[in-house]
Amino acid sequence: MNLQNKFTGAVQTAWSWAVKRSNHSDGQWSSLGPFLVAALAAILLWAYLAKKTSKSRLPLPPGPRGVPFLGCLPHLEPDIHSWFARLAREYGPIISLRLGQKLFVLVSSPSLAKVLLKDQDTTFANRDVPPGSMALLNGVHGMGWAPYGEQWRMLRRVCMGEMLNSSKLYISYDVRRHAVQEMVAEVHGGTGSPINVGKVMFVVMYKVITGLLWGRSVAEEERRQVGDEFQQVVEYLTGVFCKLDVSDFFPVLAPFDFGGVVRLTKKGGVRLEQILDSLINQSQKRGNSEGTRDFLQILLQIQNSGDPKTPLTRSHIKSLLTDLVLAGNDTTWTTMEWAMTEAMKHPEVMKAAQEELDEVVGRNHPVEEAHLPNLHYVNAFVKEVLRLHPVVPLMLPRTPSESTPVGGYMVPKGSRVLVNMWAIQRDPAAWESPEEFRPERFMTGDDSKLEFTGNDFRYFPFGSGRRICPGMALAERMLMYVMATLLHSFDWKLPEGTELEVSEKFGLVLKKAKPLMAVPTPRLSDPDLYSCN
């Protein structure tokens, strides 16, 4: 008999005894009355508490059984996102498993993604920050890893209001146009020879992002000198963050840093801070003598204003700049490399995109951002790339602020919650022929209405809810602009004797296992279109 039954039985016994005594002792009923009322109140209180605590007795989501201490770590596969997808097919759309000490909860269906990212968005708005990321910039986070709260809202408000909204991006078009022109000139210089496509994409995105951030704060020559070193630091830190950290699975071991991730992050972070401090100092000396301000100048102006509603510190400024460079660069150039891979894997897709570009732009004019709204097939092509290759396949990890029921199971406070976007966007229940690369699906029927806004939980490559990617508008423009330019300006083929490699390399960002090497051939009528003005 459980505790509730024992309690109920005891109350019933007391009630029977009290009634019996009252029947045989006329003068004692009044003294027994309070006891009976108290007993009835106890029963009602128990029923209320039992109902209130029934949620906590919900089971954990189902999942594979692990071994003592290690959990499911011995079964962990390199392509974690696809392994999680197979587990979901076996155990259901929400599963739990232990990897070391850490409890992971994985969601792999549109309906449950909606629960986490919309219906209970506030509860799941906090990040489960890896120890390595905590070590960068002394733990002062930008928007990506900052806990949900007033500081995060301030940082996001500043970024969206001063840099990443449509009107600000429109003003900064010259920065993107110049970077794309330099990219075309560089690719043209490699005509007939294999080029590393990912490297080209990395450079163009780096130039765009740093141009927007501090393009007017630093003199041209100094910017080039700083740029080379900053680019090396970015590549170094990106490599460190791809390393497997044992502390992710055994938080108790974090102080020992067995994998060296914290040590390596701090090493890169020291040099990163030196560069950022130098940029900030130069911007303060240079002022705003050229009219249009870059983002760093705007941040410094906000800091100096002393506005209590925006208490921006130097540490906040450095964390924002780091966030925008590390996250904005890596994710976007990786998607561009996947896009070129799919274009070369499907020549009919490349041909259809080029025919649209010839019709809308013509071969005697470069692609401009003004052309993008009329490039419907190229738009569908980019959407299909992001469906099959979501750049952050498991999204950034979340942790609930309290134990919360989801899908009939309990998701405990402190667990690491992952949404398998990669699996959802390949779900046969949500997509026709989900493994096929078919841009046309975004041009007809209900799928043609799908956008990047995160309102349809079959397709949300930039996330959804409060923590949707703040750089979505910039990423969308750059993906369209760069891909349209490369397909419009050049024909592409594989180097002789090579085959197209399409395997994935899992990480926080899902990259190609091997870089894409491709040979460009000019296709425009005027050679001057390949020069950088």
Side-chain angles (χ1 to χ4, degrees):
M1 185 181 294
N2 62 31
L3 183 62
Q4 183 177 358
N5 290 338
K6 289 181 179 179
F7 182 85
T8 304
V11 172
Q12 289 174 339
T13 301
W15 180 276
S16 299
W17 175 82
V19 172
K20 189 179 296 183
R21 288 294 302 270
S22 68
N23 289 337
H24 294 287
S25 304
D26 294 339
Q28 296 180 355
W29 175 257
S30 59
S31 63
L32 289 173
F35 171 77
L36 295 175
V37 171
L40 180 60
I43 292 174
L44 295 175
L45 178 62
W46 176 265
Y48 169 76
L49 292 175
K51 182 177 180 180
K52 185 177 180 180
T53 59
S54 62
K55 290 182 178 181
S56 64
R57 290 197 291 271
L58 287 173
L60 287 174
R65 296 182 63 181
V67 300
F69 184 66
L70 295 177
C72 293
L73 274 178
H75 310 302
L76 193 63
E77 297 182 7
D79 291 332
I80 298 177
H81 58 301
S82 56
W83 180 56
F84 283 166
R86 292 199 303 275
L87 290 178
R89 289 194 290 270
E90 181 177 355
Y91 293 99
I94 180 170
I95 67 174
S96 65
L97 71 161
R98 287 199 174 273
L99 296 174
Q101 289 180 312
K102 197 78 175 180
L103 178 66
F104 284 68
V105 176
L106 316 169
V107 165
S108 303
S109 75
S111 59
L112 292 181
K114 177 177 177 291
V115 172
L116 263 62
L117 305 178
K118 182 178 181 181
D119 301 342
Q120 300 190 52
D121 188 16
T122 304
T123 302
F124 289 93
N126 279 316
R127 301 294 192 199
D128 191 16
V129 187
S133 297
M134 287 292 294
L136 190 64
L137 299 179
N138 297 312
V140 179
H141 297 301
M143 292 178 292
W145 293 113
Y148 177 67
E150 188 53 43
Q151 178 177 301
W152 172 82
R153 282 190 285 269
M154 175 192 71
L155 296 176
R156 187 178 179 92
R157 184 171 62 248
V158 168
C159 279
M160 297 304 298
E162 301 295 344
M163 178 181 172
L164 296 175
N165 65 66
S166 295
S167 61
K168 298 292 184 181
L169 290 176
Y170 177 80
I171 295 172
S172 62
Y173 173 47
D174 282 348
V175 173
R176 297 188 296 280
R177 187 173 186 269
H178 185 67
V180 170
Q181 285 178 336
E182 288 186 334
M183 175 196 71
V184 170
E186 179 185 352
V187 172
H188 186 258
T191 294
S193 302
I195 66 170
N196 186 322
V197 174
K199 278 283 187 181
V200 171
M201 306 303 191
F202 177 93
V203 171
V204 69
M205 280 309 303
Y206 175 81
K207 288 179 178 178
V208 167
I209 292 175
T210 57
L212 294 175
L213 293 180
W214 56 73
R216 295 185 180 274
S217 292
V218 184
E220 179 70 23
E221 187 60 33
E222 294 171 334
R223 188 160 71 245
R224 289 176 181 171
Q225 293 175 356
V226 170
D228 292 339
E229 188 171 4
F230 194 86
Q231 188 172 326
Q232 291 175 10
V233 174
V234 169
E235 290 179 321
Y236 170 84
L237 287 171
T238 300
V240 171
F241 292 149
C242 289
K243 292 180 179 294
L244 190 66
D245 188 357
V246 68
S247 301
D248 279 342
F249 307 117
F250 297 97
V252 69
L253 300 179
F256 303 101
D257 190 27
F258 285 125
V261 172
V262 172
R263 174 178 55 82
L264 294 171
T265 300
K266 286 183 177 179
K267 178 182 176 182
V270 169
R271 187 61 193 126
L272 176 65
E273 284 216 70
Q274 292 172 345
I275 296 173
L276 291 173
D277 281 327
S278 174
L279 289 169
I280 291 172
N281 293 339
Q282 290 182 60
S283 182
Q284 289 173 327
K285 291 179 181 178
R286 190 176 180 87
N288 184 27
S289 59
E290 298 183 21
T292 305
R293 299 171 298 165
D294 59 34
F295 190 53
L296 176 53
Q297 291 169 338
I298 293 170
L299 293 177
L300 291 172
Q301 184 181 44
I302 293 173
Q303 181 192 16
N304 294 333
S305 71
D307 183 357
K309 294 182 180 179
T310 313
L312 207 62
T313 67
R314 191 180 184 97
S315 294
H316 288 142
I317 292 173
K318 289 189 284 190
S319 67
L320 278 176
L321 297 178
T322 301
D323 252 13
L324 291 166
V325 174
L326 288 178
N329 192 16
D330 209 30
T331 54
T332 310
W333 79 256
T334 299
T335 302
M336 292 174 180
E337 187 179 35
W338 278 117
M340 285 299 298
T341 301
E342 291 291 355
M344 298 189 68
K345 183 180 178 182
H346 303 279
E348 73 283 0
V349 170
M350 186 186 300
K351 181 181 178 181
Q354 289 175 330
E355 288 176 350
E356 180 181 66
L357 286 158
D358 289 346
E359 181 179 346
V360 173
V361 181
R363 292 204 189 190
N364 58 352
H365 195 281
V367 176
E368 304 282 358
E369 280 192 2
H371 293 122
L372 301 185
N374 297 319
L375 297 174
H376 305 297
Y377 188 84
V378 175
N379 180 51
F381 164 67
V382 169
K383 286 182 176 179
E384 181 72 337
V385 170
L386 285 165
R387 183 188 70 83
L388 272 182
H389 305 284
V391 69
V392 186
L394 300 178
M395 305 183 63
L396 291 184
R398 301 186 177 219
T399 186
S401 55
E402 60 183 5
S403 296
T404 306
V406 175
Y409 300 100
M410 181 55 61
V411 178
K413 179 180 178 180
S415 57
R416 175 171 290 190
V417 181
L418 300 172
V419 178
N420 196 339
M421 186 195 305
W422 183 90
I424 291 172
Q425 294 187 170
R426 294 173 179 240
D427 185 356
W431 299 92
E432 181 182 346
S433 304
E435 298 295 330
E436 294 183 14
F437 187 83
R438 289 169 43 189
E440 294 78 10
R441 73 174 78 242
F442 287 100
M443 301 184 71
T444 59
D446 292 339
D447 292 346
S448 65
K449 302 174 184 177
L450 292 173
E451 297 296 341
F452 298 132
T453 52
N455 294 322
D456 190 312
F457 291 90
R458 295 179 302 141
Y459 184 75
F460 50 110
F462 292 98
S464 181
R466 285 168 173 80
R467 303 205 75 143
I468 193 171
C469 174
M472 176 175 62
L474 175 59
E476 181 182 359
R477 284 177 186 241
M478 285 305 299
L479 287 169
M480 282 283 291
Y481 189 21
V482 170
M483 293 316 303
T485 298
L486 290 176
L487 296 178
H488 178 244
S489 303
F490 304 96
D491 286 314
W492 298 87
K493 66 179 182 179
L494 292 173
E496 289 292 334
T498 64
E499 295 183 0
L500 189 64
E501 173 62 54
V502 295
S503 57
E504 300 167 332
K505 179 183 179 182
F506 178 79
L508 188 61
V509 173
L510 189 63
K511 299 185 178 182
K512 287 185 85 276
K514 294 182 179 180
L516 174 64
M517 304 298 295
V519 179
T521 302
R523 66 185 300 271
L524 299 182
S525 57
D526 185 354
D528 289 341
L529 295 175
Y530 293 99
S531 63
C532 182
N533 299 324

